[in-house]
Amino acid sequence: MRPQGTESGGRPPRGAAGEASRAGPAPRSAREALGWLLEDVPGLIGDRVRIFSLELRRVRLSAGQVALLGAAAAILGLTAWLAAWVLLAVALHAGGLSWAAALAIVLAINALGAWLALRRIAALARAFAFPATLRSLGIAEAPARQPAPAAPENAARPL
């Protein structure tokens, strides 16, 4: 029977995180210390795998809710967006503009916003190609540099 408070080999018990508490006697040799280390490795890895699997389960359960709530928020946001533009068109019509003119203004503002957003997306999309990384790995060519300006014909030439 083992003494109370020790594991096999007279080692102190494992802590809450699966790590051995080393407050007890120090290993008598490097070989014993290496043995203790090798005995602890499976427990340490197992603890981390268990924590990861529990967190992964929590993420999986939350991901569905996040997707549904995101879809609901998008639908409600789109509804509010459309209602705001209808209110603007009604206000423009009440101000004396025809329905056609009011809707043309709403359409023009939305088209301008979409165009500006697409221009920004195109500018940001260049970063998706990882150009500096590809150049450093030799996969992509360096950008072409502007040629040096030509010297005037009457400039002095080296001999």
Side-chain angles (χ1 to χ4, degrees), residues 2 15 20 44 53 58 69 71 89 91-92 97 108 113 117-118 139 141 155:
R2 267 187 307 188
L44 293 173
S53 68
R58 184 174 15 168
L69 290 172
L92 290 173
L97 288 177
L118 289 174
I139 297 171
E141 294 181 20

Side-chain angles (χ1 to χ4, degrees), residues 70-157:
I75 291 168
L76 294 171
L78 180 61
T79 303
W81 177 262
L82 291 174
W85 286 112
V86 168
L87 284 174
L88 177 64
V90 168
L92 290 173
H93 179 67
L97 288 177
S98 68
W99 278 112
L103 293 176
I105 289 172
V106 167
L107 178 64
I109 293 171
N110 273 286
L112 176 65
W115 180 73
L116 290 172
L118 289 174
R119 281 189 55 199
R120 184 67 181 141
I121 288 170
L124 291 171
R126 290 186 196 112
F128 291 164
F130 298 98
T133 301
L134 293 176
R135 280 193 306 272
S136 71
L137 294 173
I139 297 171
E141 294 181 20
R145 295 186 182 197
Q146 297 292 332
E153 289 184 30
N154 59 359
R157 295 185 183 182

Side-chain angles (χ1 to χ4, degrees), residues 11-41:
R11 290 185 33 217
R14 292 185 182 275
E19 298 170 1
S21 171
R22 298 289 185 225
R28 288 175 230 132
S29 67
R31 186 176 187 151
E32 186 179 2
L34 182 61
W36 286 7
L37 179 65
L38 291 176
E39 286 177 19
D40 286 345
V41 168

